[in-house]
């Protein structure tokens, strides 16, 4: 059974350095990890504190919860009320990511990108772009000004570590990183659902080192999705059409934060004024877009299919998913054969 330990006054940076030594008996060296921001409704925070312990994870993961204070005013100026949300920074193995975010994808959480940048009078640090999963009931957030770098914030964290026995059994029985596909997971993070019972926090006690076989690192996708209405077409799957030859873009090997240029400060009023002053122009055709646009939307389409599959959705359910419908419409507008791409990757 997974063990949960509550750690006080720690940071993502300190945990990255200390956890491999602290959990040396079960830590599998060489596996790939990533960090994400999970934007939660504040009154749902307790459901997430023990969420990882309800999953059959192969590797330890930890989550750090932060409440903006000094920078709260700057966040509000950007049009987001920080009092409505809990900011959860998650560090998880790529191989376990599908299991962790699968319930969010099934509950139609939005997968987006947010730029974290220094707030007014804050310590200077490099702005970074993070992958973010946002509760659809919360306002959108494009830029998050913080008083410190996310890796240097000190706060309370929840460390979840699978037992050595569970790790070995998981490696021996699963055919792939997504085997099982959350079949036993029935909870929802929406209103009115009963939250899973959070295991009582315990201090992890090292056990006798156990040889654990290496497992291939899973390469996660990156982007939302959608498909046009099929007009009640039969469910029968035709032979895939001959794919159109086009330039292939490399699938990103990580969803980890990446450095970016600091965005220009813009208030909600500025955004509203910009929208009002914009003059509609001729609608561009797919051929008018940049050369790499079709490649980028194809990668996003494939990423979304893989993410929904990781969440346990079957092919028919993926077609009905709002996330898939949104990205597939954009892919169709870019001239891609969405149906052929779907057939090749959804099963």
């Amino acid at each position: 059974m997974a063990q949960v330990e509550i750690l006080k006054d720690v940071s993502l940076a300190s945990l990255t350095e200390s956890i491999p030594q602290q959990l040396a008996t079960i830590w599998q060296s060489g596996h790939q990890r990533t960090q994400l921001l999970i934007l939660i409704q504040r009154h749902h925070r307790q459901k997430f504190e023990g969420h990882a312990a309800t999953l059959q994870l192969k590797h330890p993961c930890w989550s750090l919860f932060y409440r903006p204070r000094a920078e709260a005013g700057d966040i509000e100026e950007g049009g987001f009320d920080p009092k409505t949300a809990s900011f959860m920074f998650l560090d998880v193995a790529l191989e376990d990511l599908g299991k962790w975010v699968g319930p969010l994808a099934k509950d139609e959480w939005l997968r987006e990108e947010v730029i974290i940048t220094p707030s007014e009078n804050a310590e200077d640090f490099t702005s970074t772009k993070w992958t973010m999963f946002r509760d659809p009931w919360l306002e959108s957030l494009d830029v998050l000004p913080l008083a410190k770098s996310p890796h240097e914030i000190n706060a309370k964290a929840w460390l979840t570590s699978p037992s050595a026995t569970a790790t070995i059994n998981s490696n021996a029985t699963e055919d792939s990183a997504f085997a099982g596909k959350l079949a036993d997971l029935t909870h929802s993070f929406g209103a009115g659902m009963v939250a899973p019972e959070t295991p009582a926090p315990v201090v992890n006690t090292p056990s006798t080192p156990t040889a654990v076989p290496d497992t291939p690192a899973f390469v996660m996708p990156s982007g939302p999705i959608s498909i046009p209405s099929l007009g009640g077409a039969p469910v029968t799957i035709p032979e895939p059409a001959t794919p159109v030859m086009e330039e292939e873009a490399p699938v990103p090997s990580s969803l980890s934060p990446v450095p970016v240029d600091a965005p220009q400060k813009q208030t909600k009023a500025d955004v509203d004024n910009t929208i009002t002053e914009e003059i509609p122009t001729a609608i561009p055709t797919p051929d008018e877009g940049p050369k790499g646009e079709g490649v980028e939307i194809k990668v996003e389409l494939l990423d979304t299919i893989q993410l929904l599959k990781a969440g346990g959705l079957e092919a028919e359910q993926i077609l009905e998913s709002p996330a898939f419908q949104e990205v597939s419409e954009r892919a169709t507008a870019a001239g891609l054969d969405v149906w052929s791409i779907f057939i090749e990757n959804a099963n």
Side-chain angles (χ1 to χ4, degrees), residues 1-2 4 46-55 185-187 189 193-201:
M1 179 177 179
V4 180
Q46 188 174 4
K47 299 179 182 180
F48 283 83
E49 292 175 351
H51 172 52
T54 68
L55 308 174
L185 190 59
T186 58
H187 77 277
F189 294 105
M193 298 301 293
V194 178
E197 181 180 354
T198 302

Side-chain angles (χ1 to χ4, degrees), residues 260-275:
V260 295
D261 293 333
Q264 184 176 359
K265 186 175 179 181
Q266 191 174 43
T267 65
K268 188 174 186 299
D270 294 333
V271 174
D272 293 339
N273 291 336
T274 300
I275 295 175

